């Protein structure tokens, strides 16, 4: 049997929520006007927002310190542009990594005329002495199921995988001094003996590996290893 690490569960229905008629954002951690005890950032992971944006609407944000901003479309595509002059379209199956300096701004637009889009915004504090502002995007796919696929590598390491029901897997940490944040995008998983449903999160520390099992078909899991 595996040991129980230090863990905090972030249930989907207990996240912070910001909403207007054209935009809705769920905050795993404190963000904007949402400030609640015990919702402080987890290590270098500062922001983990699950956002839905209406057609033809735009959202602008600014970072106040050096950050690695990860944009991950889940439903539909997003149009983006930033203060470094980068712009483009990011579709589901792609991820954008913005190495954003203090004061960096970016805008996300829903390019569709009549469809909602859903995407994750993930901010990881970048404390590198050799920080250089730039951006990259990568494409991933789930043609090979039941394994973790590399998603991004910055100050943190991101992995994503689609699994069949009852398939088990293990993620070994690259550095046991790091923490791990697990987020279920679709389906259900048991992670370190804890049941997680769609959009639930789990923060783990003092652990050398993460064991998990998919409890439904086409279940999608996101795993982020990061400095504490």
């Amino acid at each position: 049997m595996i040991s129980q690490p230090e863990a905090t569960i972030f249930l989907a229905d207990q996240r912070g929520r910001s909403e207007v008629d054209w935009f809705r954002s769920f905050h795993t951690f404190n963000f904007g006007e949402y400030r609640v005890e015990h919702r402080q950032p987890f290590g270098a992971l500062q922001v983990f927002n699950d956002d839905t944006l209406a057609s033809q609407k735009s959202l602008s944000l600014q970072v106040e310190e050096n950050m690695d901003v990860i944009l991950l479309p889940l439903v539909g595509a997003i149009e983006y542009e930033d203060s470094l002059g980068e712009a483009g379209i990011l579709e589901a199956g792609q991820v954008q990594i913005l190495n954003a300096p203090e004061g960096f701004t970016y805008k996300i637009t829903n390019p569709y005329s009549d469809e909602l889009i859903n995407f994750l915004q993930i901010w990881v504090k970048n404390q590198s002495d050799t920080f250089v502002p730039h951006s990259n995007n990568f494409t991933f796919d789930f043609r090979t199921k039941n394994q973790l696929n590399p998603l991004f590598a910055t100050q943190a390491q991101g992995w994503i995988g689609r699994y069949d029901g009852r398939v088990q897997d293990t993620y070994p940490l690259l550095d046991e001094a790091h923490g791990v944040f697990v987020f279920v995008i679709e389906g259900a998983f048991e992670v370190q003996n804890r049941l997680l449903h769609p959009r639930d999160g789990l923060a783990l520390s003092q652990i050398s590996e993460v064991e998990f099992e998919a409890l439904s078909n086409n279940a999608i899991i996101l795993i982020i290893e990061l400095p504490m």
Side-chain angles (χ1 to χ4, degrees):
M1 296 293 291
I2 57 178
S3 60
Q4 292 284 348
E6 291 191 6
T8 303
I9 293 179
F10 299 90
L11 297 177
D13 61 1
Q14 294 180 3
R15 295 177 294 177
R17 179 170 175 162
S18 301
E19 186 170 13
V20 293
D21 58 357
W22 52 271
F23 175 68
R24 182 184 66 201
S25 180
F26 290 106
H27 318 306
T28 297
F29 307 110
N30 289 332
F31 183 81
E33 296 183 358
Y34 173 67
R35 289 289 184 271
V36 177
E37 191 177 3
H38 308 308
R39 293 286 172 161
Q40 294 86 358
F42 176 63
L45 183 59
Q46 304 294 294
V47 172
F48 195 99
N49 288 351
D50 179 359
D51 294 344
T52 300
L53 185 62
S55 57
Q56 299 294 300
K57 297 296 184 180
S58 297
L59 173 71
S60 296
L61 294 105
Q62 179 175 349
V63 302
E64 297 180 354
E65 55 186 313
N66 291 352
M67 289 284 177
D68 296 323
V69 176
I70 295 98
L71 303 178
L72 179 62
L74 301 179
V75 177
I78 65 176
E79 182 178 344
Y80 66 90
E81 58 182 288
D82 63 45
S83 54
L84 295 178
E86 298 289 339
I89 296 287
L90 197 65
E91 300 179 345
Q94 295 182 304
V95 60
Q96 180 81 12
I97 300 96
L98 308 171
N99 296 100
E102 179 183 354
F104 175 90
T105 60
Y106 64 98
K107 182 169 73 171
I108 296 172
T109 300
N110 180 341
Y112 300 108
S113 60
D114 58 0
E115 297 180 28
L116 297 172
I117 61 172
N118 176 227
F119 54 95
L120 298 179
Q121 293 193 80
I122 304 165
W123 294 10
V124 179
K125 183 183 294 187
N126 191 315
Q127 298 177 311
S128 172
D129 294 332
T130 58
F131 178 84
V132 177
H134 69 283
S135 67
N136 289 294
N137 66 64
F138 301 96
T139 299
F140 62 93
D141 63 62
F142 296 116
R143 286 180 292 182
T144 302
K145 296 171 65 176
N146 302 320
Q147 69 177 37
L148 291 172
N149 302 293
L151 188 63
F152 60 86
T154 59
Q155 293 286 290
Q157 304 282 332
W159 305 80
I160 193 168
R162 184 191 297 270
Y163 287 83
D164 293 321
R166 313 315 303 186
V167 173
Q168 300 179 14
D169 203 354
T170 301
Y171 173 74
L173 270 68
L174 302 175
D175 186 335
E176 293 186 13
H178 287 175
V180 175
F181 183 75
V182 179
F183 185 74
V184 174
I185 296 174
E186 292 183 12
F189 285 86
E190 183 177 285
V191 182
Q192 295 295 127
N193 295 328
R194 292 166 176 83
L195 178 61
L196 301 181
H197 294 289
R199 310 302 167 108
D200 287 347
L202 176 66
L204 299 163
S205 58
Q206 298 186 4
I207 191 170
S208 61
E209 63 181 19
V210 180
E211 295 186 2
F212 58 93
E213 178 182 357
L215 303 180
S216 57
N217 287 325
N218 293 314
I220 302 177
I221 192 169
L222 171 64
I223 295 178
I224 303 173
E225 178 181 342
L226 60 145
M228 296 301 293

